[in-house]
Amino acid sequence: MIPVKNNYQFEDMLDKHQLKKTAPRLRVLSMMYSKNTATSQPDLENVMHDIDRVTLYRILNVFEEKGIIHKVFDLDGTANYAVCHSDCEANHHHDEHVHFNCTVCKNVYCLNELSLPSITLPAGFKPESFTLYASGLCPKCDKKNSVK
Amino acid sequence: MIPVKNNYQFEDMLDKHQLKKTAPRLRVLSMMYSKNTATSQPDLENVMHDIDRVTLYRILNVFEEKGIIHKVFDLDGTANYAVCHSDCEANHHHDEHVHFNCTVCKNVYCLNELSLPSITLPAGFKPESFTLYASGLCPKCDKKNSVK
DNA sequence: ATATAAATGCAACAATATTTCATTTAGAAT
DNA sequence: ATTCTAAATGAAATATTGTTGCATTTATAT
């Protein structure tokens, strides 16, 4: 589980990556760290009406470049962003974990605690990273389903 | 490896799914079966200038619904389509295989021959399907790289 | 040969991604 | 504290992509 962070820690994170500590960036960080699912740009737009769409777009881009967040696609192909492990560097992500796409609520969960089993590819392929996508029912939607 | 098919076999495929045997559909099928990498809509548009972009869009959609092709996203998030194994049914795909995204040529390879190692998810998650994405250098790009 | 449902092409529209530029602001230098 | 400057923001404009509606064409069943 990702440890909860306070505002000072978010400021430190921006500092570390030579990014100015601006209100929009701090709000985006705090929102992303408060959830255990990935966040899409529309998600952010729905909550932060006062921040320009283009600003959010650019914040997501720099955060990804700097290795603060990483991109995953949901079942519809929309980009979702989730906070990275501590060991991600700028432009070099190490997200060897499992992503779970819920077919009902469409949320994307990063199951960081699961490590991937190793796998051998056909001759010639030189893999640099792996991600396993599982899709199905997340705990919440499974519960709702069985109650009915 | 996917066996090469001829035009009669493509017609049979369309027949089997109650789709009319039209020229655009046959051309799309033949193109997708001639490659060992997934095909994006832009790929099709670049080759088939005379077919309307909406037609291609709709062909890809029905083919996916019918279980003839399945969708994978490349590293940029663009949808790519690849022909399915024989055991895919309409609206119920069984594509439990490995996808390889080349970071250089951006091609997506379906490594159908590889089966996925089983994995246990945290309590509560009810998975229905799995896909493993590997990214790195494909054989072609790796060769080009080492020659220099 | 004809009828009809399906498929296509075109135009229009919607949503999203991206660029440009003027204005504002964080943080460094004084 | 004040000023300066590069970086970040917001607003408008443009580009690209996804989607729908409808008139016309075409495959195929009769």
Side-chain angles (χ1 to χ4, degrees):
Chain A
M1 208 58 233
I2 300 147
V4 178
K5 290 207 189 314
N6 63 34
N7 225 47
Y8 291 112
Q9 291 176 290
F10 295 142
E11 296 189 355
D12 282 351
M13 292 180 60
L14 294 176
D15 256 344
K16 205 174 298 170
H17 293 96
Q18 287 129 5
L19 295 172
K20 289 190 179 175
K21 301 162 215 160
T22 65
R25 285 175 179 169
L26 288 168
R27 284 168 66 193
V28 169
L29 274 183
S30 126
M31 161 148 179
M32 298 193 73
Y33 269 91
S34 72
K35 323 182 357 179
N36 63 343
T37 55
T39 310
S40 67
Q41 196 183 316
D43 289 341
L44 292 170
E45 287 173 17
N46 288 334
V47 178
M48 305 173 189
H49 302 278
D50 52 324
I51 301 180
D52 195 83
R53 205 167 76 71
V54 180
T55 301
L56 292 172
Y57 167 79
R58 283 188 282 222
I59 288 177
L60 293 172
N61 277 357
V62 271
F63 282 7
E64 201 201 1
E65 270 173 35
K66 297 290 188 173
I68 299 173
I69 59 176
H70 64 274
K71 200 196 275 188
V72 270
F73 297 101
D74 68 16
L75 295 169
D76 305 323
T78 25
N80 281 60
Y81 297 86
V83 294
C84 279
H85 278 182
S86 48
D87 58 355
C88 278
E89 304 140 33
N91 286 310
H92 195 215
H93 292 268
H94 307 276
D95 305 300
E96 314 261 313
H97 56 265
V98 180
H99 288 115
F100 190 91
N101 292 57
C102 179
T103 51
V104 176
C105 67
K106 307 286 178 188
N107 274 328
V108 182
Y109 296 79
C110 285
L111 307 177
N112 292 295
E113 57 278 10
L114 295 184
S115 60
L116 287 190
S118 70
I119 188 163
T120 314
L121 298 182
F125 288 96
K126 298 279 154 62
E128 281 151 19
S129 76
F130 293 94
T131 315
L132 182 73
Y133 280 86
S135 71
L137 287 174
C138 77
K140 273 186 198 167
C141 294
D142 181 46
K143 219 167 216 169
K144 276 185 205 150
N145 234 27
S146 60
V147 166
K148 278 177 195 161
Chain B
M1 209 60 238
I2 300 148
V4 178
K5 291 204 186 324
N6 64 33
N7 224 48
Y8 291 112
Q9 292 177 287
F10 294 141
E11 295 189 357
D12 282 350
M13 291 179 62
L14 293 177
D15 256 344
K16 203 174 299 170
H17 293 97
Q18 285 129 7
L19 295 172
K20 290 190 177 173
K21 301 163 218 157
T22 64
R25 284 174 179 169
L26 289 168
R27 283 169 64 193
V28 169
L29 274 182
S30 127
M31 161 147 179
M32 297 192 74
Y33 270 91
S34 72
K35 323 183 352 178
N36 63 343
T37 56
T39 310
S40 67
Q41 196 183 318
D43 288 343
L44 293 170
E45 287 173 17
N46 288 334
V47 178
M48 304 173 189
H49 301 278
D50 52 326
I51 301 181
D52 194 83
R53 121 193 139 75
V54 179
T55 302
L56 292 172
Y57 167 78
R58 284 188 280 223
I59 288 177
L60 292 172
N61 276 358
V62 271
F63 281 7
E64 200 199 1
E65 270 171 36
K66 297 289 189 176
I68 299 172
I69 59 177
H70 65 274
K71 199 197 277 189
V72 271
F73 296 101
D74 67 15
L75 295 169
D76 305 323
T78 26
N80 282 60
Y81 298 86
V83 293
C84 280
H85 276 182
S86 48
D87 57 356
C88 278
E89 303 140 32
N91 285 312
H92 195 216
H93 292 268
H94 307 276
D95 304 300
E96 314 259 316
H97 57 264
V98 180
H99 288 115
F100 190 92
N101 292 57
C102 180
T103 51
V104 175
C105 67
K106 305 288 176 187
N107 274 328
V108 182
Y109 296 79
C110 285
L111 306 177
N112 293 293
E113 57 278 10
L114 294 183
S115 61
L116 286 190
S118 71
I119 188 162
T120 315
L121 297 182
F125 289 94
K126 298 279 155 61
E128 281 152 18
S129 75
F130 292 94
T131 314
L132 182 70
Y133 281 87
S135 71
L137 288 174
C138 77
K140 272 186 200 167
C141 293
D142 181 46
K143 220 168 218 170
K144 276 186 207 153
N145 234 26
S146 60
V147 167
K148 281 175 194 163

